[in-house]
Amino acid sequence: MKGFFLFIFSFLITIQVGFGQNLLSGRVVDGNDDLKLQNATVMLIQAKDSLLVSYGRTDAAGKFELKKPKSGEFLLIVSYPKYADFFRNISEENALGDIKLQSVAHLIEEVVVKRGAAITIKGDTTEYDAGQFTVEKNAKVEDLLKVLPGISVDASGKITAQGKVVQKVLVDGEEFFGDDPTLVTRNLRSDMVDKVQVYERKSEQAERTGMDDGERQQTINVKLKDNAKNGIFGKALLGGGTDDYYMGQLMFNKFKGSQKISAYGLFGNNGTTSLSWQDAEKYGGDSGVTFTDEGVNVVSTNDPFSGQGIIGIPKAINTGINFNDKWKEDKMKLNLSYKFGQINSDGSEETLRSGLRNDSTRKNLDTENQQHRVNLRYDVDIDSLNLITLRGNATKKKLWNRTSNFANTYNESGAITNQVDGYEISDDRVDNYNADILYTRRFVKKGRSLTFNGTVGRDEVSGNGFLYSELSRRPGLQDTLTDQKKVKNQQLTRFRGALTFTDQLTERLNLSLAYALENSKNTSVIESYNKVDGVYNSLDDTYSSNYDFDRLSANYRLGLAYNVEKLKINLTNNFNNDQLKQINNFTNKELERTFFTYNPRLNV
């Protein structure tokens, strides 16, 4: 009976979805001799915001069918090589009949001819011809993206293409200032752009070995015009306003062939110079805990440079320089960048609550944060069968903040029952170092390869802090005073080595075997000292900790990929053996655990 009701429920849902959409059909033919045009590109977009609704190609008879919502205003675009693009507004229509395209050779003089199609689909890539979309003079790449069908950009610079968030923006296929898309979209001019390509980028492992592991990143590649690849250009923007608001943006670019040198500087107190939306999403807005395929959990904290949690008007500086070049017929590639960021703020806020709990809180927050970051990537194609990539990055941060709190709690008659007056100061140094080597050996047999990936990293956090809190309670209850100094010293060292073998078993079936060994050592010492006779020298065991945490993990992966023209199936089996050991150095107690996990993943 339970299965019967589940079937009925699923059937009703299917009917409901089916009623929510119609099929838009038609046939694409030559306007002069009714020749059926096979593989013509047909796209349906929303008229109000240019979001892509559906797309497809015509069959051998020139016919097509697209799913169309039951209501709304839409625009139909039909493209075919050497024919003028066809545009038509669609609302209630479903059966369009014959759509006749005019060949360029037969167009009369009064008809405006666009050279090439505005939008073409090449396999999994949607390509836009930037010259056929109108933007204002001196517009940025971001302004161009906003007028492209199927692409939207919000106020923070976050890009959505074909319903998926864009994670990478490349320039001529290369990274530009690492993982900050806004440095491309908000600083390069739109008139420099020849084509905009949207596609799902495979993982680096898949691109090197040819073995599709099913991992994808929504990517935009900005292809520059040939005349924009040589020369010097820049941008300067300064502004000021009432209440001491100001801002400035400087951008310098020198492109010469494959060599690109870019520098930028952003400063101001108008809230527009924080780091990119991607950094803000990466460090905030979620639980901060993620799990990899190997079952490892990663805990992240809020990024102090994202602007989150700041009170008052932040004063920010964000600068950087990027260098790209290629040598020896593009067999050697270098990408080097440096960034500096600083954000200061000083402000206060007050909160009043009434109801089940009546209280008032006043908080003052003063922050001074500074960051340096260097990124390096060096690719070498030793020969057609051997590839090697070296990567490294280093980050140094100075984080200082002072938070003052004053709070009152009231009873039903409005009398104060509790009062808290205190402050907290933290002064931390954060250093991160990472190095990575990726070597791939291809074999003569198609699809067969062997890849080694080695990684080493170290994170260090050290600093001092003070906590002062004075709690005054209603008569009859004892007041409390906390006056402590905090000392922090934490280190995490990571080593990882992985070996991956791929092979093409048949024309459509690929095999992937991998083994990885990872070792991490984590030490954390947090000491709290109470103030006695004017000196912080009395260790408080309750608020102090001293732990060593070691983890040794072995991962085994078996992957199978089945690929045909319109169907791709990836089955990945991950087996992970974790050995964990934790030592409490205060009590000399040890805790050991061993876990074996199986994590399958299926992509169709």
Side-chain angles (χ1 to χ4, degrees):
M1 183 62 69
K2 179 180 179 181
F4 174 76
F5 283 116
L6 182 60
F7 170 77
I8 294 298
F9 177 76
S10 302
F11 179 71
L12 292 175
I13 290 296
T14 304
I15 292 177
Q16 184 179 359
V17 172
F19 283 151
Q21 287 190 334
N22 292 325
L23 285 179
L24 180 69
S25 62
R27 189 176 71 147
V28 181
V29 298
D30 185 290
N32 294 287
D33 55 17
D34 288 335
L35 177 68
K36 305 175 184 66
L37 299 181
Q38 183 180 2
N39 288 326
T41 300
V42 186
M43 303 180 66
L44 185 68
I45 64 176
Q46 291 186 162
K48 62 180 181 179
D49 53 16
S50 297
L51 288 180
L52 183 67
V53 177
S54 59
Y55 72 93
R57 292 182 183 273
T58 56
D59 59 18
K63 296 181 179 180
F64 67 89
E65 286 188 347
L66 298 179
K67 291 182 179 180
K68 180 179 77 71
K70 198 169 184 179
S71 61
E73 298 292 331
F74 307 95
L75 178 66
L76 180 72
I77 305 174
V78 182
S79 300
Y80 195 80
K82 298 183 180 180
Y83 284 79
D85 293 341
F86 175 87
F87 297 87
R88 177 172 173 177
N89 291 320
I90 303 292
S91 56
E92 301 296 332
E93 303 95 322
N94 291 319
L96 302 180
D98 287 349
I99 296 175
K100 297 184 178 183
L101 300 188
Q102 294 296 321
S103 170
V104 173
H106 293 85
L107 286 174
I108 59 177
E109 293 182 359
E110 288 78 12
V111 177
V112 177
V113 180
K114 293 185 177 181
R115 292 178 295 175
I119 305 172
T120 57
I121 299 177
K122 303 176 181 179
D124 295 334
T125 301
T126 302
E127 184 175 86
Y128 302 86
D129 185 351
Q132 299 198 37
F133 295 90
T134 303
V135 293
E136 294 182 0
K137 188 178 180 180
N138 298 322
K140 304 182 291 294
V141 171
E142 183 176 271
D143 301 315
L144 173 63
L145 296 179
K146 290 179 179 179
V147 302
L148 299 183
I151 299 179
S152 62
V153 185
D154 68 11
S156 66
K158 180 179 178 180
I159 308 168
T160 303
Q162 298 170 1
K164 298 180 180 179
V165 175
V166 174
Q167 298 167 291
K168 284 270 188 186
V169 176
L170 308 176
V171 176
D172 287 331
E174 304 290 339
E175 291 189 356
F176 191 76
F177 280 105
D179 290 332
D180 191 346
T182 58
L183 289 177
V184 178
T185 60
R186 291 182 171 176
N187 291 286
L188 294 185
R189 298 198 315 266
S190 63
D191 58 7
M192 299 172 57
V193 180
D194 180 29
K195 298 286 193 301
V196 175
Q197 298 174 329
V198 179
Y199 59 95
E200 288 187 327
R201 189 183 189 185
K202 297 179 182 178
S203 68
E204 189 168 16
Q205 182 87 359
E207 290 181 346
R208 295 169 74 108
T209 64
M211 169 65 183
D212 192 349
D213 54 11
E215 295 184 10
R216 295 289 188 273
Q217 273 190 330
Q218 192 77 345
T219 302
I220 286 181
N221 181 34
V222 178
K223 296 186 68 175
L224 302 180
K225 298 176 181 177
D226 290 336
N227 59 5
K229 298 178 182 179
N230 292 280
I232 297 175
F233 58 93
K235 165 186 170 184
L237 178 64
L238 298 173
T242 59
D243 298 326
D244 297 326
Y245 281 106
Y246 65 91
M247 60 84 66
Q249 297 182 18
L250 302 173
M251 188 76 183
F252 169 82
N253 296 275
K254 180 183 178 183
F255 289 179
K256 185 177 181 181
S258 62
Q259 186 182 90
K260 298 181 178 69
I261 301 175
S262 301
Y264 75 96
L266 310 175
F267 60 91
N269 63 354
N270 61 341
T272 61
T273 56
S274 61
L275 295 186
S276 70
W277 59 265
Q278 203 169 36
D279 286 333
E281 281 203 342
K282 187 184 303 179
Y283 294 105
D286 57 19
S287 64
V289 180
T290 58
F291 289 87
T292 67
D293 288 335
E294 292 78 20
V296 181
N297 67 300
V298 180
V299 181
S300 63
T301 58
N302 284 339
D303 181 14
F305 297 90
S306 67
Q308 293 184 346
I310 285 180
I311 299 175
I313 301 174
K315 299 178 182 178
I317 299 175
N318 188 1
T319 65
I321 184 169
N322 187 85
F323 176 82
N324 272 20
D325 206 352
K326 303 177 183 179
W327 299 277
K328 295 186 178 180
E329 299 178 349
D330 296 348
K331 291 183 178 180
M332 295 185 177
K333 304 176 185 178
L334 176 65
N335 187 312
L336 180 65
S337 66
Y338 164 77
K339 290 183 181 181
F340 169 77
Q342 179 174 300
I343 185 167
N344 300 335
S345 69
D346 184 6
S348 62
E349 66 178 11
E350 188 168 354
T351 303
L352 300 174
R353 291 191 300 182
S354 61
L356 296 177
R357 180 176 178 180
N358 303 304
D359 57 28
S360 63
T361 303
R362 185 175 69 249
K363 180 166 73 172
N364 299 312
L365 178 63
D366 188 8
T367 63
E368 295 179 8
N369 299 326
Q370 192 178 96
Q371 172 181 259
H372 301 266
R373 182 173 178 83
V374 178
N375 290 285
L376 167 70
R377 175 171 177 144
Y378 185 53
D379 294 280
V380 181
D381 294 352
I382 301 174
D383 52 41
S384 60
L385 299 178
N386 294 276
L387 311 173
I388 189 169
T389 298
L390 301 174
R391 288 174 293 206
N393 62 72
T395 304
K396 296 184 72 68
K397 299 179 183 179
K398 295 170 62 177
L399 311 175
W400 181 90
N401 72 77
R402 176 190 171 102
T403 304
S404 301
N405 289 285
F406 181 81
N408 289 327
T409 303
Y410 307 92
N411 59 19
E412 294 81 356
S413 60
I416 296 176
T417 58
N418 295 323
Q419 188 175 77
V420 177
D421 187 5
Y423 63 86
E424 185 175 0
I425 300 174
S426 65
D427 186 5
D428 293 335
R429 302 292 184 271
V430 181
D431 298 327
N432 308 104
Y433 309 94
N434 295 281
D436 179 88
I437 181 171
L438 182 63
Y439 169 74
T440 300
R441 163 69 179 178
R442 297 171 179 163
F443 295 90
V444 177
K445 181 186 175 183
K446 181 182 178 181
R448 180 175 293 176
S449 68
L450 187 65
T451 299
F452 171 76
N453 183 210
T455 304
V456 59
R458 182 171 175 83
D459 301 334
E460 300 178 357
V461 180
S462 61
N464 298 306
F466 294 91
L467 174 63
Y468 179 88
S469 178
E470 187 175 357
L471 173 60
S472 302
R473 302 187 180 185
R474 64 178 183 267
L477 296 179
Q478 183 178 1
D479 297 343
T480 60
L481 175 65
T482 302
D483 190 358
Q484 292 183 335
K485 178 181 179 180
K486 308 284 187 177
V487 179
K488 181 190 301 181
N489 194 346
Q490 299 171 311
Q491 293 93 29
L492 171 62
T493 305
R494 304 175 303 277
F495 300 93
R496 187 177 188 273
L499 199 62
T500 304
F501 174 76
T502 65
D503 199 5
Q504 189 175 36
L505 301 181
T506 68
E507 184 178 350
R508 298 178 177 179
L509 185 63
N510 295 319
L511 169 71
S512 174
L513 297 172
Y515 171 74
L517 185 65
E518 182 175 355
N519 181 234
S520 64
K521 295 184 177 296
N522 191 351
T523 63
S524 176
V525 179
I526 299 177
E527 297 174 327
S528 298
Y529 293 93
N530 292 316
K531 190 174 185 179
V532 179
D533 297 331
V535 181
Y536 296 99
N537 57 7
S538 176
L539 183 65
D540 191 328
D541 294 338
T542 304
Y543 299 102
S544 301
S545 62
N546 187 336
Y547 284 98
D548 292 337
F549 182 75
D550 298 338
R551 171 178 161 267
L552 180 64
S553 177
N555 172 253
Y556 310 85
R557 188 175 76 242
L558 169 63
L560 291 171
Y562 179 81
N563 297 323
V564 293
E565 183 178 357
K566 294 187 178 181
L567 177 64
K568 297 181 180 180
I569 303 175
N570 296 90
L571 175 62
T572 304
N573 300 275
N574 281 288
F575 305 89
N576 209 75
N577 187 29
D578 281 306
Q579 299 179 28
L580 311 178
K581 182 179 180 180
Q582 179 178 285
I583 303 174
N584 186 337
N585 294 310
F586 278 162
T587 62
N588 291 323
K589 291 184 178 180
E590 295 185 6
L591 179 64
E592 295 188 24
R593 290 289 187 269
T594 300
F595 299 93
F596 184 83
T597 55
Y598 168 54
N599 305 287
R601 183 180 64 190
L602 177 66
N603 293 306
V604 180

